[in-house]
Amino acid sequence: RWTTKMAGGNSNYWEDLRKQARQLENELDLKLVSFSKLCTSYSSSRDGRRGDSSDTTPLLNNSTQDRMFETMSVEIEQLLAKLTGVNDKMAEYTSTPGVTSLNAALMHTLQRHRDILQDYTHEFHKTKSNFLAVREREDLLGSVRKDIETYKSGSGVNNRRTELFLKEHEHLRNSDRLIEDTISIAMATKENMTSQRGMLKSIQSRVNTLANRFPAINSLIQRINLRKRRDSLILGGVIGICTIILLLYAFH
């Protein structure tokens, strides 16, 4: 139907397509801005609700944002599809024989609209991917956080007892370690004393062996000891006699 209009020389057909394209581009621009704001605020709103102890409010907020995300995604996809259809019609219009004289200008305009469509499509898919990644990460962190809070709230007393048991167990382990160190030191001291005792016995046995091998030396040593004892006795007697004589002389 629209090909028949072009063949009939409808000069307003191209302008109508351009108006539709610009209108769709404006709508897409506004939708993408709102969509980007929704995706940006999603993570921060989840962070703001983490401290809320209520079980109903976060679920309602999450559900609302998810519904808004799905609704806006469908609307943007529909607008992109419409804009793609308009660009296809514009491309088909430029290929008709009746507009060959304006083909260069029309192709330039068509290329500009195609670039805009490509940019919007790329921005939409990028924002959507980022939103899905953030939501998946937040859901995972929320699940882990919920499990941790459930564990803490459900077993607080048990955790306290467990901590006390762990501390006591650590004290016992430290005591065992100190006892083992003390026993090791005692064993090392015992081994050292045993080694020294063996060395002294070895020296004594060697001395006895030498004395038995050389009886003359043993006899000489005994004589020397007797003479020293005799000299000591003589010296002690002389000193005693002299002392008595001095005392007698002093008192007379």
Side-chain angles (χ1 to χ4, degrees), residues 9 111 126 163 179:
Q111 185 60 40
K126 180 180 179 181
E163 291 178 359
I179 292 173

Side-chain angles (χ1 to χ4, degrees), residues 157-174:
V157 178
N158 292 331
N159 287 340
R160 179 60 179 171
R161 291 179 179 176
T162 303
E163 291 178 359
L164 294 175
F165 288 150
L166 289 175
K167 289 182 179 179
E168 187 66 22
H169 179 66
E170 187 65 22
H171 291 327
L172 292 175
R173 289 183 60 186
N174 292 332

Side-chain angles (χ1 to χ4, degrees), residues 223-236:
R223 290 179 181 178
I224 292 172
N225 290 331
L226 290 174
R227 184 170 293 182
K228 288 175 64 177
R229 188 178 301 172
R230 187 189 61 184
D231 293 340
S232 299
L233 291 174
I234 294 172
L235 182 61

Side-chain angles (χ1 to χ4, degrees), residues 104-227:
L106 297 180
M107 290 298 295
H108 177 73
T109 303
L110 175 61
Q111 185 60 40
R112 184 168 60 84
H113 286 292
R114 283 178 172 174
D115 292 338
I116 293 173
L117 173 62
Q118 184 178 2
D119 292 340
Y120 285 162
T121 303
H122 176 72
E123 181 179 354
F124 168 67
H125 289 299
K126 180 180 179 181
T127 306
K128 184 177 180 180
S129 299
N130 292 336
F131 178 88
L132 293 175
V134 170
R135 185 172 65 180
E136 182 178 359
R137 185 179 67 250
E138 291 295 329
D139 290 340
L140 179 61
L141 293 176
S143 178
V144 174
R145 190 178 297 105
K146 184 177 179 181
D147 293 340
I148 294 174
E149 291 177 355
T150 303
Y151 174 76
K152 288 183 177 179
S153 61
S155 58
V157 178
N158 292 331
N159 287 340
R160 179 60 179 171
R161 291 179 179 176
T162 303
E163 291 178 359
L164 294 175
F165 288 150
L166 289 175
K167 289 182 179 179
E168 187 66 22
H169 179 66
E170 187 65 22
H171 291 327
L172 292 175
R173 289 183 60 186
N174 292 332
S175 300
D176 291 339
R177 191 180 301 110
L178 292 175
I179 292 173
E180 289 178 357
D181 293 339
T182 304
I183 292 174
S184 298
I185 294 173
M187 293 295 293
T189 305
K190 180 181 178 181
E191 292 178 358
N192 191 10
M193 293 180 66
T194 303
S195 177
Q196 292 180 1
R197 180 180 179 184
M199 291 177 62
L200 292 175
K201 286 184 176 181
S202 177
I203 294 172
Q204 183 178 3
S205 62
R206 290 181 182 179
V207 172
N208 293 331
T209 302
L210 290 175
N212 294 327
R213 287 183 180 180
F214 302 99
I217 295 176
N218 190 15
S219 178
L220 179 61
I221 293 173
Q222 292 179 357
R223 290 179 181 178
I224 292 172
N225 290 331
L226 290 174
R227 184 170 293 182

Side-chain angles (χ1 to χ4, degrees), residues 66-121:
D66 291 338
R67 287 198 300 269
M68 290 177 61
F69 170 76
E70 298 296 337
T71 301
M72 294 183 68
S73 296
V74 173
E75 292 177 355
I76 293 173
E77 289 175 351
Q78 292 176 352
L79 290 174
L80 290 173
K82 291 180 181 180
L83 184 58
T84 301
V86 173
N87 285 344
D88 292 339
K89 291 180 181 180
M90 294 173 69
E92 188 173 352
Y93 177 81
T94 58
S95 63
T96 55
V99 293
T100 54
S101 60
L102 300 175
N103 193 38
L106 297 180
M107 290 298 295
H108 177 73
T109 303
L110 175 61
Q111 185 60 40
R112 184 168 60 84
H113 286 292
R114 283 178 172 174
D115 292 338
I116 293 173
L117 173 62
Q118 184 178 2
D119 292 340
Y120 285 162
T121 303

